[in-house]
Amino acid sequence: MDESQAPVAANAPAQLQADRPGRRPIQHINVDIYRDTFLRYMGYSNEVGEAFRPLVPKAIVAASYGMAIGYVCTDTFDKSLREQMSGASRRDVLIAAGDVFSWQMLASVIIPGLVINRITAGSKMLLRRSPTILLKTLPTVIGLASIPLIVHPIDGLVDRFMDATFRKMVR
């Protein structure tokens, strides 16, 4: 793209846009990097740990939970800091922090961790008469393959739950 085709901000003064004929306005898109990008999967590191539970020491599974909770805390800090910098009241900052922390813990750690744990354990139980190599590896493969399938349904469930509980109480 040459300079004459470079976009100009949609909210730029009319004179600026008039001085740059042939340029298209920029569409501003609000992207939440913690929920709308690949970074969202960092919150699912504990699910990877759960899927690998039959193959790795418990300390590795515990460390995967530490990574997921670190992701949750980072998102909570980011959202509450943005709220504070926008001039929000202390109450609104605390509400935003509580909302993000609760949503992320439910949608990224607690519910998916339980789901993958049960999928992996159920797979292991169904395969209990299989050769040892299958009994150890196949539940992990099934658990890992399940992760992308559970993300959006759990996110939607947690959104509805938060709307009906926490968000209704604090607003």
Side-chain angles (χ1 to χ4, degrees):
M1 171 185 335
D2 66 24
E3 187 179 323
S4 68
Q5 295 174 326
V8 173
N11 59 356
Q15 182 60 40
L16 177 60
Q17 289 187 12
D19 289 344
R20 302 177 189 270
R23 291 190 179 188
R24 294 171 281 139
I26 292 176
Q27 292 181 353
H28 293 280
I29 301 170
N30 282 336
V31 175
D32 182 343
I33 64 166
Y34 296 99
R35 295 188 191 180
D36 301 330
T37 69
F38 68 92
L39 196 56
R40 173 77 180 94
Y41 290 98
M42 277 300 297
Y44 281 80
S45 59
N46 62 305
E47 283 66 54
V48 174
E50 284 295 346
F52 276 97
R53 186 179 286 274
L55 300 174
V56 299
K58 289 180 181 178
I60 303 271
V61 177
S64 72
Y65 274 87
M67 286 178 57
I69 292 169
Y71 160 84
V72 168
C73 292
T74 302
D75 188 22
T76 301
F77 177 77
D78 177 66
K79 299 292 185 322
S80 55
L81 182 62
R82 288 173 189 264
E83 192 76 15
Q84 183 178 18
M85 290 173 62
S86 74
S89 70
R90 183 177 178 91
R91 178 184 186 277
D92 287 342
V93 171
L94 290 173
I95 288 171
D99 186 281
V100 172
F101 185 79
S102 300
W103 189 93
Q104 286 286 15
M105 284 300 291
L106 288 168
S108 300
V109 181
I110 297 168
I111 296 172
L114 178 64
V115 170
I116 297 300
N117 178 283
R118 295 297 80 206
I119 287 172
T120 304
S123 300
K124 191 172 182 178
M125 188 185 76
L126 290 172
L127 296 165
R128 69 182 173 268
R129 291 194 174 106
S130 299
T132 305
I133 188 73
L134 287 179
L135 184 59
K136 285 225 172 242
T137 57
L138 203 51
T140 296
V141 170
I142 292 168
L144 289 172
S146 301
I147 295 171
L149 304 175
I150 68 170
V151 174
H152 295 297
I154 290 174
D155 286 359
L157 174 73
V158 172
D159 277 332
R160 290 189 299 279
F161 175 76
M162 292 291 292
D163 288 344
T165 58
F166 181 83
R167 293 172 184 155
K168 190 178 268 188
M169 289 188 316
V170 297
R171 302 282 175 198

